[in-house]
Amino acid sequence: SGMTGTASTEAGEFWDIYKLDVVEIPTNRPILRKDLDDRLYKTNREKYNAVIEEIQEMINQGRPVLVGTTSVEISELLAKMLTMRHIPHNVLNAKLHQHEADIVAKAGLSKTVTIATNMAGRGTDIKLSPEVKAAGGLAIIGTERHESRRVDRQLRGRAGRQGDPGSSVFYVSLEDKLMRLFASERIARVMDRLGIEDGERIESSLMSKSIERAQKKVEENNFGIRKRLLEYDDVMNKQRTVVYEKRRHALMGERIGMDITNIIWDRIVNIIEKNDYEGCKDEFLKVLAMECPFTEVELQNEDRGNLEEKAFQAAMADFKRRTDRIQAVGFPVIKDVFENQGAIYERIMVPITDGKRVFNIPCNLKEAYDTEAKSVVKQFEKTIMLHIIDDCWKENLRALDELKHSVQNASYEQKDPLVIFKLESVKLFDDMVDQMNNRIVSILMRAQIPVMEQQQVQEAAPEEHSQQYTEEKVNLEDEAQKAAAQHDTRESAAKQEPIVKDKMPGRNDPCPCGSGKKFKNCHGRGLV
């Protein structure tokens, strides 16, 4: 649970969004603080002059004063006005965060004036001496109503803690942002009818209630914005839950075999349902790296379920041959390294290629030896799945962010942008899953170990929580694949030096050729 004295104004939002109740706990001691009605002026100049006069009056009574402002600019303005009156004071804002606690702790001393921006330092109690309590306690002066009642109550709550005496009052002008947006014209007419002169103030509960109603409007508007953003985020959160579940399975590796089996089955069903025979041939070759396991006649006459099962069995057999081949080729080298150099290496890099790229997979040498290279296959599957899931999810988040901005134009067509966003985001997610599964299957069904030699063994970095591998692009030609197989993975790729582009000389700068002429009259002629 959390405790705050100002949560009651946001009780509706807590319930609508989080389904949490707000319960008011009675104060430990009765509140003696006097909350005065707001004091309204026509202009900011009149208001700030009145604030300075009020501060002077409180000092004369021997009371400490805490002045709350809405911005650093206002706090500095009041500080200058107090300096002109030769009134000692402390300014508390983000510029003095290191001394914040000390300044607030001393704010309860007699005749101390503290100016605080947005109630900085509200986590520190302001202790009052008996002398100050007898004089009336801490005086809170707000220079402007905030857009949220909660922040105003936080400011009032600095006084009257644990039964201490105190007072609070807010000074408001018709030039304040809140008043300009909601109530200035109506109140200005009232002030004109009453014949209010410059420098005079209106102080009534009616005005205070009118200002609170304006604050409620702002709060409701802000709540609507936050709730709308939450509705958009809920769509993304549902997708996030699905993707993170896939990623967790890949990271743990406990059911990775089942996940790969499901992905292969999904791809086969997708290919058969969406293509004719020629399309099936192309897609089987492109995605699964295998010939179409049925004829055109079988596609036209046989049950789709039987064709899917037949293709699935053929694909799984081909996939098993791939993994068995990786184990058969990799284990002799791993065995030789473990038996002869096991004391040197703990983790090694095993190169695996899909014909386009070479993936250097980090593996535990002893585990690979004990499992006869089965752990190498599992680590390869895990690494590929994690990389592709992360890559596709990042691209999907970018697409969703762009979609969120683009659907706002739907309101011009009298359509709800949120509904359009939900419909389009489903399509984006389905496309992402299709692309993700295609990429995973395409790599796994083409995986093989290039010809390995003992001197190719490279020590891997210590295991980290994040899965990493290095990737190189090679051509599909057999000669290039052989070259990749002979690649010495012990040598890290040389760092490519950045290309430094020299700055173009100015028109009147000396020409870099050393002629002594200006650049515009030499090699820069006609360029600048």
Side-chain angles (χ1 to χ4, degrees), residues 155-173:
L155 179 57
R156 288 190 192 274
R158 302 310 299 150
R161 298 170 74 87
Q162 295 295 329
D164 289 341
S167 65
S168 69
V169 64
F170 280 92
Y171 282 76
V172 183
S173 82

Side-chain angles (χ1 to χ4, degrees), residues 224-240 397 400-411 415-423 425:
I225 293 172
R226 289 193 293 270
K227 188 174 182 180
R228 193 69 167 177
L229 287 174
L230 187 67
E231 290 172 344
Y232 278 98
D233 190 65
D234 281 343
V235 176
M236 302 172 71
N237 192 51
K238 290 175 182 177
Q239 296 186 8
R240 189 181 297 115
L397 286 178
L400 285 174
D401 193 49
E402 293 174 1
L403 177 63
K404 186 191 298 185
H405 290 89
S406 63
V407 297
Q408 302 307 318
N409 294 329
S411 58
K415 296 178 181 178
D416 187 353
L418 180 61
V419 174
I420 305 298
F421 179 76
K422 289 180 177 179
L423 294 174
S425 64

Side-chain angles (χ1 to χ4, degrees), residues 7-241:
S8 59
T9 58
E10 316 297 334
E13 183 170 349
F14 275 116
W15 177 253
D16 286 349
I17 294 180
Y18 304 107
K19 297 297 183 286
L20 292 174
D21 283 317
V22 174
V23 178
E24 292 190 38
I25 300 174
T27 55
N28 185 37
R29 295 177 182 175
I31 297 177
L32 300 181
R33 183 185 69 240
K34 297 178 181 178
D35 294 328
L36 305 177
D37 291 328
D38 295 351
R39 296 173 181 176
L40 180 63
Y41 292 83
K42 282 187 176 182
T43 64
N44 281 332
R45 180 180 57 81
E46 298 172 26
K47 178 182 71 172
Y48 294 138
N49 286 331
V51 168
I52 300 300
E53 294 295 336
E54 180 74 7
I55 292 173
Q56 184 66 65
E57 184 178 343
M58 294 296 105
I59 292 174
N60 294 338
Q61 295 176 12
R63 296 176 62 184
V65 182
L66 178 62
V67 182
T69 65
T70 57
S71 68
V72 175
E73 291 77 15
I74 296 175
S75 67
E76 292 179 344
L77 172 63
L78 289 174
K80 290 180 181 178
M81 295 177 72
L82 289 173
T83 302
M84 293 173 64
R85 296 282 190 100
H86 304 290
I87 300 175
H89 60 277
N90 292 315
V91 180
L92 184 64
N93 53 41
K95 297 179 180 179
L96 295 173
H97 62 278
Q98 293 180 341
H99 308 292
E100 185 174 293
D102 293 336
I103 293 175
V104 176
K106 297 176 182 177
L109 300 179
S110 177
K111 300 183 180 180
T112 300
V113 178
T114 305
I115 303 174
T117 303
N118 276 337
M119 270 323 297
R122 59 178 175 266
T124 307
D125 272 341
I126 299 176
K127 302 295 183 182
L128 305 181
S129 64
E131 176 191 1
V132 170
K133 291 181 180 179
L138 178 66
I140 301 293
I141 299 177
T143 60
E144 184 178 341
R145 280 281 196 167
H146 293 78
E147 290 186 350
S148 171
R149 291 171 297 161
R150 178 177 57 82
V151 182
D152 286 346
R153 292 188 179 188
Q154 285 178 348
L155 179 57
R156 288 190 192 274
R158 302 310 299 150
R161 298 170 74 87
Q162 295 295 329
D164 289 341
S167 65
S168 69
V169 64
F170 280 92
Y171 282 76
V172 183
S173 82
L174 296 182
E175 294 178 350
D176 292 347
K177 180 180 177 182
L178 185 70
M179 301 299 292
R180 287 201 319 269
L181 292 176
F182 291 97
S184 60
E185 293 184 3
R186 181 165 52 85
I187 296 177
R189 286 196 297 268
V190 172
M191 296 180 76
D192 289 339
R193 283 200 299 269
L194 294 175
I196 302 297
E197 300 293 336
D198 289 346
E200 287 190 61
R201 76 184 187 210
I202 294 180
E203 185 176 354
S204 71
S205 59
L206 180 63
M207 290 298 173
S208 298
K209 291 178 181 177
S210 176
I211 294 170
E212 285 205 4
R213 282 196 295 271
Q215 288 177 308
K216 285 182 181 179
K217 290 180 182 178
V218 176
E219 290 171 1
E220 290 170 359
N221 183 55
N222 292 339
F223 169 54
I225 293 172
R226 289 193 293 270
K227 188 174 182 180
R228 193 69 167 177
L229 287 174
L230 187 67
E231 290 172 344
Y232 278 98
D233 190 65
D234 281 343
V235 176
M236 302 172 71
N237 192 51
K238 290 175 182 177
Q239 296 186 8
R240 189 181 297 115
T241 302

